[in-house]
Amino acid sequence: MGVWSVCCILLISCQLKFSCAHNDFFTSIGHMTDLLFTEKDLVTSLKDYIRAEERKLEQVKQWAEKLDAITTTATQDPEGFLGHPVNAFKLMKRLNTEWGEVEDLVLKDMSDGFISNLTIQRQYFPNDEDQTGAAKALLRLQDTYKLDTQTISSGDLPGLTTGLPFKSTLTVGDCFELGKIAYSEADYYHTELWMEQALKQLNEEEESSIDIVTVLDYLSYSVYQQGELERALDYTMRLLTVDPEHQRALGNLKYFDYQLAKQKKAEKEQSTKEESNKKQQEESERKEYLPEKRKYEQLCRGEGLRMLRRATVHDPQTGKLTTAQYRVSKSAWLAAYEHPVVDRINQRIEDITGLDVKTAEELQVANYGVGGQYEPHFDFGRKDEPDAFKELGTGNRIATWLFYMSDVPAGGATVFPEVGAAVKPIKGTAVFWYNLFPSGEGDYSTRHAACPVLVGNKWVSNKWIHERGQEFRRPCGLKETD
């Protein structure tokens, strides 16, 4: 089938489509690979600069050693030394001429080539959005796969082969940065987790630019925001043992004390039974609010299975394609005329399914980014989306064909929460399903999702087949309920 050829076509397409863009790097592993080569080029340039600086310093060192020997001897008997006219002349010459040459050498900028290269490349660097997106991807993986902060920080992720050279660990600064990004999103739960990890590693790392006072400050506030006043008070008191004059902590100490006393008084006035009922009600409401999300994440973890440019999604409000936070990937569309491999793939899909692909959408090839995912969704247009695919003029999406073009060591499964099924990505395999019943009604059990990629690089291609052209290939039943 030539899936590697399709990847090559996609890479060329991506270069054409994304060469002018420098954001959303985190949404595609394929797009991020360019950054590695950019960084390698910069390292080479930096090493050239270092070698030039070392040559300069060697010259300065030789000059210093020569002058050190002269001045050590001369200062033992200054008058006797200068009594020799040659020494007197050379002193005048050194101070008038040679020290100026040394000054020029010391001030000489050896970084011109490196700075020029860095300036050129900087315009293609990731921006704040990319850094935040990558951080949020780590938090998403943490939740979906129930990973603790120590597992992520140590780099020992499920699916990694032991001894791999690219295993990375997080420093105190990295953990602190994750906590700060969560804090900026008012995500105090993850702020607490990562600030605690930073605090833990502060005791293990000898040097760090992060100080314990700052970490404790974030911790006390994040746990307070989650309603844990006693722990907020504990962290505040711990902060004050390190910095007794910390003004915000002194103010918080009084406030938390007051709020805690108020809370305890309220708890005494409320019966245990009422509190228990309240908690049960809250838990029940929470479960009702996120039933699908729980099923989706369970399937992504392999629990409860019954085994069997930035990418866009359809906006039901506008009828147009747009980007969405619940889809983290990049994709390209390949037409049959662009390459014989694409044409052969289309023909193979038609031969296997028996459906006409002439009215199908172009082959979409997608590469998922850091924690790449696509949350639960339908491929077909629902009744409340009358303009879905109207511009195509080929009716609704009757079926979906999905190719897996790479193996994924961990995560990245395609899951169907309604039926409790999951399909693990295995290179060279595919999955096919009908989105519509023969009557044309949507099959709501086909709601599916792409789980976050935990480890690896996920490439897929899919073909959305439409109703038009299938009238005699998949005819309607005799009854409307068929």
Side-chain angles (χ1 to χ4, degrees):
M1 181 173 60
V3 292
W4 180 248
S5 300
V6 176
C7 285
C8 292
I9 297 168
L10 176 62
L11 288 173
I12 295 171
S13 176
C14 285
Q15 287 175 352
L16 292 174
K17 294 183 180 181
F18 303 136
S19 59
C20 297
H22 65 276
N23 59 353
D24 286 353
F25 281 104
F26 72 96
T27 61
S28 168
I29 295 293
H31 200 187
M32 280 189 286
T33 56
D34 293 340
L35 296 178
L36 289 177
F37 291 100
T38 297
E39 191 170 42
K40 181 175 175 58
D41 180 56
L42 286 174
V43 169
T44 301
S45 181
L46 182 59
K47 289 171 75 174
D48 290 340
Y49 160 67
I50 292 170
R51 281 191 288 269
E53 284 286 354
E54 286 174 340
R55 287 193 294 270
K56 182 180 83 171
L57 287 173
E58 185 60 33
Q59 290 178 272
V60 175
K61 182 181 177 182
Q62 290 174 3
W63 169 261
E65 289 175 347
K66 183 181 76 171
L67 266 292
D68 184 47
I70 292 172
T71 55
T72 298
T73 301
T75 54
Q76 289 177 358
D77 182 8
E79 291 184 3
F81 180 82
L82 292 174
H84 195 301
V86 173
N87 288 340
F89 165 74
K90 293 185 73 170
L91 176 62
M92 297 303 105
K93 180 176 178 288
R94 282 197 306 273
L95 292 173
N96 184 53
T97 304
E98 294 178 13
W99 274 102
E101 293 173 355
V102 173
E103 181 182 21
D104 290 341
L105 180 60
V106 171
L107 296 177
K108 185 178 181 181
D109 187 1
M110 312 300 292
S111 65
D112 283 351
F114 169 67
I115 294 299
S116 176
N117 191 19
L118 181 61
T119 302
I120 292 170
Q121 297 292 354
R122 188 180 294 279
Q123 61 183 317
Y124 304 112
F125 280 12
N127 55 22
D128 289 345
E129 181 184 348
D130 288 299
Q131 183 173 337
T132 299
K136 290 167 73 174
L138 277 178
L139 303 183
R140 183 165 60 247
L141 290 172
Q142 180 180 5
D143 291 346
T144 302
Y145 296 105
K146 290 187 175 179
L147 304 174
D148 57 54
T149 53
Q150 180 60 39
T151 297
I152 298 175
S153 182
S154 65
D156 295 321
L157 300 178
L160 275 181
T161 304
T162 56
L164 286 179
F166 53 79
K167 189 185 96 166
S168 296
T169 58
L170 297 178
T171 64
V172 169
D174 294 331
C175 297
F176 179 76
E177 184 65 23
L178 284 169
K180 271 184 63 178
I181 289 174
Y183 180 84
S184 68
E185 300 282 324
D187 179 358
Y188 301 113
Y189 169 72
H190 286 107
T191 302
E192 177 192 348
L193 292 180
W194 284 103
M195 289 301 172
E196 282 184 337
Q197 183 64 28
L199 192 62
K200 176 184 175 184
Q201 291 184 205
L202 264 174
N203 299 323
E204 300 169 359
E205 294 185 19
E206 294 182 2
E207 295 182 5
S208 176
S209 59
I210 308 301
D211 66 276
I212 191 171
V213 170
T214 306
V215 176
L216 288 170
D217 196 15
Y218 274 102
L219 266 173
S220 63
Y221 188 74
S222 62
V223 297
Y224 160 69
Q225 285 290 339
Q226 296 176 80
E228 299 184 55
L229 283 169
E230 288 189 16
R231 291 185 61 220
L233 192 59
D234 288 342
Y235 280 125
T236 303
M237 294 173 68
R238 186 174 171 185
L239 188 161
L240 288 170
T241 61
V242 181
D243 182 2
E245 303 301 318
H246 197 283
Q247 294 302 306
R248 183 166 52 250
L250 288 170
N252 286 345
L253 185 65
K254 294 179 181 178
Y255 180 73
F256 293 160
D257 261 332
Y258 167 74
Q259 289 292 335
L260 189 59
K262 186 177 178 182
Q263 183 185 75
K264 288 181 177 179
K265 182 179 178 181
E267 287 175 351
K268 287 180 180 179
E269 295 173 352
Q270 193 170 26
S271 69
T272 305
K273 184 177 180 180
E274 287 176 344
E275 183 65 21
S276 175
N277 290 339
K278 181 182 178 183
K279 286 183 179 179
Q280 288 177 3
Q281 183 179 354
E282 288 176 350
E283 178 66 15
S284 176
E285 290 174 354
R286 189 182 70 82
K287 287 181 178 179
E288 287 301 315
Y289 180 64
L290 293 174
E292 184 180 66
K293 182 175 175 60
R294 284 203 318 281
K295 287 181 186 176
Y296 159 62
E297 292 182 344
Q298 285 174 350
L299 290 171
C300 289
R301 293 191 296 270
E303 300 172 6
L305 291 180
R306 284 186 286 175
M307 290 304 295
L308 309 168
R309 167 197 60 209
R310 185 164 172 190
T312 55
V313 296
H314 179 260
D315 187 335
Q317 302 298 321
T318 64
K320 297 181 179 180
L321 296 175
T322 182
T323 61
Q325 293 301 317
Y326 54 83
R327 189 176 193 183
V328 184
S329 65
K330 277 184 177 165
S331 65
W333 298 86
L334 304 178
Y337 65 82
E338 293 186 276
H339 198 279
V341 170
V342 182
D343 190 38
R344 289 202 300 272
I345 289 173
N346 288 341
Q347 187 60 54
R348 177 165 293 189
I349 294 172
E350 183 168 311
D351 292 342
I352 294 174
T353 64
L355 298 175
D356 190 338
V357 299
K358 292 184 180 63
T359 57
E361 295 172 50
E362 293 177 350
L363 186 71
Q364 181 183 226
V365 184
N367 177 229
Y368 287 79
V370 182
Q373 66 163 0
Y374 193 174
E375 291 183 1
H377 63 283
F378 299 104
D379 280 352
F380 63 90
R382 272 77 68 210
K383 289 182 178 179
D384 59 349
E385 303 171 297
D387 294 331
F389 317 117
K390 184 178 181 180
E391 59 188 31
L392 299 178
T394 53
N396 211 341
R397 287 173 175 166
I398 193 173
T400 297
W401 180 281
L402 176 64
F403 280 117
Y404 297 111
M405 302 169 66
S406 65
D407 293 317
V408 181
T414 304
V415 298
F416 297 79
E418 292 298 315
V419 295
V423 182
K424 179 179 173 57
I426 300 175
K427 184 178 179 179
T429 64
V431 60
F432 170 79
W433 67 88
Y434 282 104
N435 295 304
L436 307 178
F437 291 113
S439 63
E441 292 293 316
D443 183 351
Y444 285 80
S445 68
T446 63
R447 188 168 174 83
H448 59 287
C451 296
V453 177
L454 181 57
V455 176
N457 189 5
K458 182 181 177 182
W459 287 87
V460 298
S461 58
N462 63 274
K463 196 77 173 174
W464 282 308
I465 304 171
H466 284 248
E467 290 178 293
R468 300 296 178 265
Q470 321 308 332
E471 292 84 355
F472 299 103
R473 298 193 179 215
R474 197 200 188 213
C476 296
L478 297 176
K479 299 179 182 178
E480 187 177 351
T481 55
D482 286 346

